[in-house]
Amino acid sequence: MEIVPHRMQLRERHMFSTSDDNAMMKQVQATHAPDGREFAVKPLLYIIEDIFRRATPSVPGFDMGTQAQLDVLDDKAFQADFFDMLDLLSMTINKISCEISCKCSVGGDAHATTLGIFNILTSYAWDAKVVLALAAFALNYGEFWVVAQLYPTNSLAKSVALLKQLPEILERVDSLKPKFEALSNLIKAMLDVTKCIVEFKELPSQYISPDTPAMLTATAHIPTAVYWTIRSIVACASQIMGLVGMGFEFITSTTEAWELSSLAHKVGSIHTHLKKQLNLCYQLIDEKRHIEAYQTLVRLMESPHMDNMKVLRALIYTKDDQLPLLEGATKRRANIEVLRRKNVLLLISDLDVSTEEIFMLEQMYQESRQHPSRTESQYEVVWIPVVDRSTPFTQQKQEKFETLQNQMPWYSVYNHTMIDPAVIKYIKEVWQFNKKPILVVLDPQGKVVNNNALHMLWIWGSLAFPFTSAREEALWKEESWRLELLADSVDAAIAVWIAEEKCICLYGGEDIEWIRKFTAMAHSVAQAANIQLEMLYVGKSNPKEKVRRNISTITVEKLSNTLQDLALVWFFWVRLESMWHSKMQHGKSVANDPIMQEIVTMLSFDGSEQGWAVFSEGNVMAKAKGETIVQSFIDYESWKSYVRERGFVPALNDHLREVHTPHHCNRLVLPGTMGTIPEKVVCAECSRPMEKFIMYRCCND
């Protein structure tokens, strides 16, 4: 008893290679002599499917489809030249129909009947054979059920039904339900296999060759699939013929239903195998199409254009009837034409872009919109979301997408699917996008003038317009290391303090005890030196809860001024990182650029565990780590005599130089996603190469 299931498993595993199948397939192959005649099988297949959907009784496992679906089938079928094609094929279809009716009505051998149909179809290709055979069966099947459906209301149908004994059949429909279910399941399996075979025939030859492994496998198995589909057609036809003139034995017999179920299982297994090969083919085709689309995009981006429309339409997939953009202010859909011949900034990010980045970009964008006539305001921003297509786009991701979209006052792509995989590949490989947002600049002709202008925007805002490399270099030539460059755009109060000629101190770190000690001593020394001192706490890069608590404590205890919003703390440090990146892009280093030396020093301060401070008075700046600056204040008596003579900050600077020792340990922490990290970075203090480590950090304080 245990051997039978094992044999059945083996039979299923080797469905294409059993000895019985091999013998039968030799006979089938002997009938195959195609003469090259071709016809469009799809319209005929739509008609066949329409017949089965409308005719099949409503039983579980076979959905008749909605009226809308059936109407779509009508539209697909009745195309130009369809009736001309039917004129040529009708004789063959009727011939097969007669063959099926005659052989099945007398209970002929199923294999012999199947071979008889193959002999009629000898001149046709495999896909045409199975579609024509299915059309012939659909003709018989449809005729049977149209009489059954019209019998209650149509006199002619009633008379025909009486001759076919249909009233008796319909009276016993409950007893026949297992047979109808088995019949419907087999018809569905036959349709699935037929569609699969037709799909293989229609695969685009320019993307997949016949010698592709998946195609070779499918080509070898399609004749067997066609045989078992036509063999199943014969079995279904026999069932329909058996209903006419049936006796009690036929009604109660379960043999026929078991046979149909067995065939449905076999044909279903064949479909699963072919579908697997078809999916492999589609995968290969998609890969080649993506490569072709990517190469086309590369050529397009390298070519000169009269305006930016070709480039934008290639980057943002759109059909003629679509409005691919969402306008930020009104939240209305917009045509891509609104960007014609404009400077366009493409904000490219994934769905994990930080709220700080959106907040600061929004501030800068809104400021530029307040003065629309200014030259530096003549640009539009478009958000291009980069979404991983390899994972499902869940409802949670959709909500995150819509939340980001609603926060943006500029244009955004209406739907993430409008960004083609080839475009995403280009964004990652050519524009070097990797998690962290970038801002790609297109001029009015669609030419890329900057692969990432986000650093320029953080440093200079709209003054960086038109965001070219030449403009970046020109802006740096105008700059010197001064408080305005370091922090002017972070807090409007700084400009007021500078105008009032006050001494200004920026300080940072996370140790609140050091902050209390340092601020108390700074105020004490300022009073002793008779200077007006304004202090501003700028926290630490990637500010977390500890910085938020410090801001609250400093405010409550009135220790100094603070940046009240964490987004502004984030912005202070991201501007410094942007300065470093911008200088690196222009080949600057600590060794050959004094501003770069100051930038690296500031980033080193942030990398240390202790506090730090920068003092500015006029054009002079002094800086030191926490312990050093506190000790300098403790030693104030030793250098206070120079304050009146030279000024507070110059005197402090001289003292810091005097107490400086060669012993130091500086750490420079650069975010791994902010751009290319150089192989060599030298220390801002001693100019020796710094050791490089990889650090992973998780801070949820």
Side-chain angles (χ1 to χ4, degrees):
M1 292 292 291
E2 294 178 359
I3 298 174
V4 176
H6 178 64
R7 283 181 176 170
M8 287 178 68
Q9 289 171 7
L10 286 174
R11 187 172 181 81
E12 289 170 17
R13 194 179 306 153
H14 302 291
M15 71 180 81
F16 292 111
S17 60
T18 62
S19 57
D20 287 347
D21 275 9
N22 287 337
M24 288 188 295
M25 288 315 299
K26 284 182 181 178
Q27 293 176 301
V28 171
Q29 290 283 7
T31 69
H32 186 57
D35 58 8
R37 68 181 74 182
E38 294 279 347
F39 71 92
V41 298
K42 268 284 182 72
L44 186 55
L45 189 55
Y46 290 139
I47 290 290
I48 294 165
E49 189 174 4
D50 187 59
I51 290 170
F52 286 140
R53 285 189 180 277
R54 294 181 193 273
T56 300
S58 182
V59 294
F62 198 96
D63 179 24
M64 285 183 67
T66 63
Q67 187 59 46
Q69 288 172 319
L70 300 176
D71 291 342
V72 167
L73 286 172
D74 281 344
D75 294 339
K76 288 179 176 178
F78 301 126
Q79 298 172 354
D81 304 326
F82 173 69
F83 293 103
D84 292 339
M85 181 188 73
L86 274 185
D87 286 342
L88 296 172
L89 298 174
S90 59
M91 185 177 291
T92 303
I93 293 170
N94 280 304
K95 194 173 181 181
I96 299 167
S97 177
C98 291
E99 178 81 7
I100 292 171
S101 299
C102 294
K103 295 288 177 66
C104 293
S105 61
V106 297
D109 175 65
H111 174 63
T113 304
T114 305
L115 280 181
I117 296 170
F118 272 106
N119 282 321
I120 297 171
L121 296 168
T122 187
S123 302
Y124 292 93
W126 294 109
D127 63 313
K129 288 183 201 289
V130 72
V131 171
L132 288 169
L134 205 57
F137 171 64
L139 187 61
N140 294 349
Y141 189 74
E143 286 174 353
F144 177 86
W145 281 110
V146 78
V147 173
Q149 290 175 9
L150 292 177
Y151 149 74
T153 57
N154 185 285
S155 299
L156 176 60
K158 187 173 184 179
S159 298
V160 174
L162 287 169
L163 292 177
K164 289 181 175 286
Q165 294 182 300
L166 284 180
E168 190 175 351
I169 296 170
L170 298 174
E171 285 171 9
R172 300 173 180 177
V173 70
D174 289 339
S175 305
L176 292 169
K177 190 174 181 181
K179 287 184 172 61
F180 286 141
E181 287 184 358
L183 193 64
S184 296
N185 289 335
L186 182 52
I187 289 171
K188 184 179 184 303
M190 293 180 334
L191 262 175
D192 287 342
V193 169
T194 303
K195 288 178 183 177
C196 210
I197 292 168
V198 170
E199 281 189 69
F200 271 110
K201 183 64 179 290
E202 294 186 340
L203 291 177
S205 57
Q206 69 268 34
Y207 295 115
I208 191 160
S209 60
D211 57 356
T212 304
M215 280 293 283
L216 287 171
T217 302
T219 303
H221 294 157
I222 281 175
T224 306
V226 173
Y227 171 82
W228 282 106
T229 303
I230 296 178
R231 177 78 173 258
S232 298
I233 287 169
V234 172
C236 289
S238 298
Q239 280 287 297
I240 296 297
M241 294 300 171
L243 290 172
V244 179
M246 64 182 177
F248 179 75
E249 295 80 6
F250 185 84
I251 295 171
T252 56
S253 171
T254 58
T255 306
E256 292 80 5
W258 180 86
E259 181 190 357
L260 295 182
S261 296
S262 299
L263 281 169
H265 178 73
K266 185 175 187 75
V267 175
S269 298
I270 290 170
H271 173 252
T272 300
H273 182 82
L274 287 179
K275 194 70 178 176
K276 180 182 176 183
Q277 302 307 313
L278 187 63
N279 289 336
L280 288 172
C281 290
Y282 279 134
Q283 189 176 331
L284 288 169
I285 290 167
D286 283 345
E287 287 172 5
K288 289 191 177 180
R289 277 181 170 154
H290 290 159
I291 291 170
E292 183 182 75
Y294 174 76
Q295 291 171 343
T296 301
L297 182 61
V298 169
R299 288 192 296 270
L300 181 74
M301 297 301 291
E302 291 174 349
S303 304
H305 304 283
M306 294 293 291
D307 60 31
N308 55 6
M309 283 295 97
K310 276 189 178 180
V311 168
L312 288 171
R313 285 197 173 102
L315 294 172
I316 304 169
Y317 175 76
T318 176
K319 294 179 180 176
D320 293 337
D321 60 341
Q322 283 186 330
L323 298 174
L325 301 177
L326 188 75
E327 190 179 358
T330 64
K331 301 305 174 191
R332 293 175 184 166
R333 296 184 69 171
N335 196 298
I336 206 160
E337 284 287 333
V338 298
L339 304 174
R340 183 182 286 275
R341 290 188 177 155
K342 291 186 178 180
N343 293 282
V344 178
L345 277 57
L346 303 176
L347 175 61
I348 299 169
S349 78
D350 58 18
L351 301 183
D352 294 322
V353 58
S354 71
T355 54
E356 291 89 353
E357 283 167 306
I358 297 295
F359 175 76
M360 293 311 304
L361 280 169
E362 183 183 358
Q363 300 302 307
M364 293 181 174
Y365 180 80
Q366 297 291 20
E367 190 273 335
S368 73
R369 299 302 105 169
Q370 289 172 10
H371 307 281
S373 60
R374 293 189 315 189
T375 302
E376 56 265 31
S377 299
Q378 304 305 304
Y379 65 86
E380 295 291 349
V381 179
V382 181
W383 179 43
I384 305 290
V386 175
V387 177
D388 184 4
R389 299 281 184 94
S390 64
T391 57
F393 195 74
T394 60
Q395 182 62 31
Q396 185 181 5
K397 288 182 180 178
Q398 178 63 31
E399 289 171 3
K400 188 183 282 189
F401 171 78
E402 290 173 2
T403 300
L404 282 172
Q405 204 175 45
N406 289 331
Q407 290 174 350
M408 296 177 178
W410 47 80
Y411 289 105
S412 62
V413 172
Y414 177 70
N415 192 303
H416 75 278
T417 57
M418 290 174 172
I419 308 302
D420 190 79
V423 175
I424 292 176
K425 177 181 169 72
Y426 186 89
I427 286 170
K428 290 180 177 180
E429 294 191 3
V430 177
W431 291 341
Q432 300 293 301
F433 170 77
N434 181 22
K435 290 291 290 177
K436 200 167 182 68
I438 61 173
L439 197 67
V440 176
V441 183
L442 304 178
D443 71 8
Q445 287 72 47
K447 181 183 177 183
V448 177
V449 294
N450 197 328
N451 281 8
N452 188 8
L454 200 55
H455 308 297
M456 291 181 70
L457 196 68
W458 290 149
I459 302 167
W460 295 291
S462 295
L463 285 175
F465 181 87
F467 307 103
T468 61
S469 181
R471 176 61 177 160
E472 186 173 20
E473 198 163 348
L475 285 168
W476 276 125
K477 283 180 180 177
E478 297 170 9
E479 288 289 3
S480 59
W481 186 249
R482 55 201 176 97
L483 194 64
E484 290 92 328
L485 173 64
L486 178 60
D488 187 28
S489 59
V490 176
D491 193 322
I494 292 175
V496 177
W497 297 338
I498 292 172
E500 293 173 350
E501 298 183 346
K502 291 182 178 180
C503 181
I504 301 165
C505 170
L506 304 184
Y507 71 99
E510 292 181 318
D511 184 350
I512 191 63
E513 292 306 320
W514 176 85
I515 290 170
R516 287 188 175 110
K517 183 179 180 181
F518 165 69
T519 52
M521 294 189 73
H523 286 303
S524 175
V525 168
Q527 189 174 3
N530 196 28
I531 61 168
Q532 288 183 292
L533 177 65
E534 295 288 353
M535 303 180 71
L536 181 66
Y537 176 65
V538 294
K540 195 172 177 66
S541 62
N542 298 306
K544 305 292 181 183
E545 189 57 34
K546 190 178 286 187
V547 172
R548 189 191 301 276
R549 289 198 302 268
N550 285 352
I551 289 172
S552 178
T553 301
I554 293 166
T555 304
V556 170
E557 298 180 13
K558 298 180 180 179
L559 304 180
S560 75
N561 298 290
T562 62
L563 296 173
Q564 288 297 314
D565 197 316
L566 280 188
L568 292 172
V569 177
W570 171 87
F571 185 52
F572 174 84
W573 291 103
V574 86
R575 283 186 76 251
L576 272 168
E577 291 167 2
S578 296
M579 291 178 202
W580 179 88
H581 185 78
S582 176
K583 285 285 186 180
M584 285 295 299
Q585 282 185 321
H586 287 271
K588 304 301 181 182
S589 68
V590 168
N592 62 22
D593 189 277
I595 294 179
M596 185 64 151
Q597 186 173 9
E598 299 292 347
I599 293 167
V600 171
T601 299
M602 290 295 298
L603 292 173
S604 298
F605 284 169
D606 186 56
S608 69
E609 295 296 328
Q610 57 178 298
W612 57 270
V614 172
F615 287 84
S616 175
E617 189 177 37
N619 294 322
V620 184
M621 294 177 74
K623 60 190 180 298
K625 289 181 182 176
E627 292 176 3
T628 305
I629 198 71
V630 167
Q631 188 60 47
S632 295
F633 287 163
I634 292 171
D635 298 337
Y636 176 64
E637 289 296 321
S638 67
W639 54 276
K640 72 175 184 179
S641 59
Y642 300 107
V643 171
R644 186 175 297 176
E645 179 185 330
R646 303 174 192 169
F648 178 77
V649 174
L652 174 60
N653 239 341
D654 289 344
H655 176 73
L656 289 171
R657 276 194 286 268
E658 286 175 12
V659 300
H660 178 265
T661 63
H663 304 293
H664 62 274
C665 182
N666 291 338
R667 289 189 299 173
L668 176 64
V669 180
L670 300 172
T673 53
M674 71 176 289
T676 304
I677 302 300
E679 284 300 314
K680 181 182 176 182
V681 174
V682 297
C683 176
E685 194 164 338
C686 66
S687 298
R688 290 188 303 177
M690 300 179 80
E691 292 181 272
K692 185 166 76 171
F693 297 88
I694 296 174
M695 181 179 74
Y696 298 93
R697 184 169 69 170
C698 175
C699 298
N700 60 354
D701 60 344

